[in-house]
Amino acid sequence: MTVIAFLSVAPVVEGSMAGEVAKAVDALDEFDVAYETTPMGTTIEADDVAELFAAARAAHEAVDADRVSTVLKIDDKRTSEGTAEEKVAAVEEHLGREATNRDE
């Protein structure tokens, strides 16, 4: 997969956004994309930018609110293949450890 993006779709509402955010994440299943949801957004990987845009649009449209805020950041590396996992692994190699520090 060559197109990697970070997508954040959020209704502008009072209280919990979780139910509407879940609708946005669920909409991604209709597309040929891989994704991982984090507390701040969802990383998406697709073979081409058209599929990525279609998935992002569906996620945006899935949210039922009077106002929806969507942020989409795309890394369309056209000259080589690479996954989000490989990008994280490269950072971890330089760190000499995992790129996570969570005290639980």
Side-chain angles (χ1 to χ4, degrees):
M1 295 190 184
T2 58
V3 183
I4 300 171
F6 185 77
L7 175 68
S8 173
V9 179
V12 180
V13 296
E14 301 239 354
S16 177
M17 298 182 292
E20 293 302 316
V21 170
K23 290 178 186 177
V25 173
D26 192 45
L28 298 175
D29 285 336
E30 300 300 316
F31 298 88
D32 187 20
V33 299
Y35 63 87
E36 179 180 5
T37 299
T38 71
M40 297 298 292
T42 300
T43 300
I44 304 172
E45 296 179 77
D47 288 333
D48 62 72
V49 74
E51 188 76 1
L52 180 82
F53 276 123
R57 179 179 179 175
H60 175 85
E61 291 177 349
V63 174
D64 183 24
D66 290 338
R67 187 173 180 186
V68 180
S69 175
T70 297
V71 176
L72 179 63
K73 181 178 180 180
I74 299 172
D75 180 3
D76 184 7
K77 195 168 184 180
R78 298 174 178 175
T79 58
S80 65
E81 295 279 327
T83 66
E85 188 175 298
E86 291 168 341
K87 286 177 173 268
V88 173
V91 171
E92 290 177 337
E93 183 177 330
H94 285 275
L95 281 172
R97 62 175 174 82
E98 287 187 18
T100 302
N101 183 5
R102 296 185 68 137
D103 293 327
E104 294 185 28

